[in-house]
Amino acid sequence: MTSEDRAESIGHHVRVARKLAGWTQRQLADRAHVSLDLVKKVEQGRIPASPAFVAAAARALRVPATELMGQPYAPSTAEDHRVHAVIPALRRELAAYRLPPADGPAPRDVDTLAAAVAQASRLRHAATLDALGAELPLLLSELRAAAHQHRGYERERVYGLLAESYAAAGQVCWKLGHADLSSLCTDRIEWAAQQSHDPLAMAAADFYRAGELIAAAEWQGCLHFLEQARHRITDEVRQAQEPAVAMHGVLHLKSGLAAARAGDAATSDDHLAEATDAARHVTAGSDHYRLAFDTDSVRIWAVGLAVERRDGTEAVKRAEGFRPAATTPRERIGHHWIDLARGQQLHGQRDRALASLLQARRISPQQTRHHPQVRETVVTLAEQDRRRTDTLAGFARWAGIRLP
């Protein structure tokens, strides 16, 4: 394969960035704290680049992780253009977050706004990125106007709704590969949550901030940060308030991810065990602060955490017999199939990996099409099996992935 043939792979982008830095593969391995063998295999397209590898390599090379993943992907279809067309309006609204509203109709009452935000969160859980992105700018603008209009408790409610809406905007930006805007959304979530004076909203903001730290390969710092976040809601958890217990559990899941990315399987499993225990005390299908934490959520995270530490065998084992409930968000189920495909590929089950990607496409097509790990899985499946099936080639065409 030529370098041009492998242009879709993360390994190609890593190799280009490494050569621009003037480094050998050994120098990159040493500075990213990964093995030389891993660098070689990723650059050759023989194994997929994990998010942990991407974050570590990006940190070492001093480039954005999105550069190594080739994001945001250039639109290649009319649907792609429609999905990405939401970004400019979101960017403007994120920039105007503290400005008083321009002249226009008065915002709706807070209860009506709460219903509109709940609908936006349902679109988020469905991973309907185009519809969600189109709805959010006007909704954020109206909430901004309401925050200037109200005082006291109603104003705090509006800021809580703003925090939830900024979280939805962050998901759109992140899934479309606009990491800079996703980071800006996290800043806005923290700001609005603080204005709401709701300790659990602030804990949810900590959850999103932890995601930023993990993406930047600040794994140990993230573990300490999340420990502090859980400590700040100790009183609410002791009172056995279900939203607090759910928040406590989801913060443990995030710690499990940080530990898995750091290569610490034992610590990751410890946090997973804490989350599993918390889920026993949470109603199935609960969606406190739109974090959708329950036993199904923990099962899905368990598979993903095994994949993050490159243990495909354990990921496949954890997925056995799992059938998510109807209340589990489609975004979460689609992500499960993407993670399982990665685990199956690591486990040597390449046919099953492709079948899982097809399931992900059926459940959450927009999320699947724009997910960097989907692209990486497909490219390395093609590299591993030169007798490419029509199904793999067809999936690649649908996802806009150019195969050699």
Side-chain angles (χ1 to χ4, degrees), residues 93 96-103 141 144-149:
E93 185 56 37
Y97 76 110
R98 293 184 65 179
L99 295 181
D103 292 338
S141 179
R144 180 159 52 94
H148 282 81
Q149 174 180 301

Side-chain angles (χ1 to χ4, degrees), residues 142-156:
E142 188 175 8
L143 288 167
R144 180 159 52 94
H148 282 81
Q149 174 180 301
H150 292 286
R151 293 292 181 270
Y153 172 68
E154 290 293 271
R155 186 169 185 266
E156 292 177 353

Side-chain angles (χ1 to χ4, degrees), residues 299-300 302-304 306-307 312-324 336-337 339-341 343-344 349 356:
R299 287 288 302 273
I300 289 171
V303 174
V307 174
T313 302
E314 180 64 18
V316 170
K317 178 182 176 182
R318 290 178 177 182
E320 288 178 359
F322 175 58
R323 296 292 182 272
H336 168 68
W337 286 108
D339 281 340
L340 183 55
Q344 289 164 332
Q349 298 176 328
S356 291

Side-chain angles (χ1 to χ4, degrees), residues 159-160 163 188-198 201-203 205:
Y159 275 113
R188 301 294 181 261
I189 296 166
E190 290 177 324
W191 170 77
Q194 289 168 0
Q195 303 296 321
S196 77
H197 298 128
D198 179 349
M202 288 184 269

Side-chain angles (χ1 to χ4, degrees), residues 71-237:
Q71 291 179 302
Y73 306 125
S76 59
T77 67
E79 182 180 1
D80 285 349
H81 281 282
R82 185 174 68 254
V83 172
H84 283 274
V86 307
I87 294 298
L90 281 176
R91 189 183 295 275
R92 286 193 298 272
E93 185 56 37
L94 290 168
Y97 76 110
R98 293 184 65 179
L99 295 181
D103 292 338
R108 292 169 288 178
D109 64 87
V110 179
D111 286 340
T112 303
L113 286 173
V117 171
Q119 171 59 20
S121 290
R122 283 190 287 272
L123 291 174
R124 168 189 169 183
H125 281 333
T128 311
L129 303 179
D130 54 349
L132 174 59
E135 186 168 314
L136 279 171
L138 288 176
L139 180 57
L140 286 168
S141 179
E142 188 175 8
L143 288 167
R144 180 159 52 94
H148 282 81
Q149 174 180 301
H150 292 286
R151 293 292 181 270
Y153 172 68
E154 290 293 271
R155 186 169 185 266
E156 292 177 353
R157 280 188 68 196
V158 171
Y159 275 113
L161 295 173
L162 267 169
E164 181 178 332
S165 301
Y166 284 133
Q171 288 296 296
V172 173
C173 296
W174 178 258
K175 291 182 187 301
L176 293 181
H178 295 271
D180 60 330
L181 284 186
S182 177
S183 295
L184 190 58
C185 287
T186 300
D187 292 342
R188 301 294 181 261
I189 296 166
E190 290 177 324
W191 170 77
Q194 289 168 0
Q195 303 296 321
S196 77
H197 298 128
D198 179 349
L200 295 183
M202 288 184 269
D206 291 337
F207 174 87
Y208 295 111
R209 175 58 61 193
E212 297 287 335
L213 294 170
I214 291 170
E218 188 58 59
W219 299 313
Q220 295 303 323
C222 181
L223 287 168
H224 179 66
F225 174 80
L226 286 166
E227 183 179 359
Q228 293 179 317
R230 288 189 296 273
H231 178 73
R232 285 192 287 270
I233 60 171
T234 298
D235 288 343
E236 288 81 4
V237 174

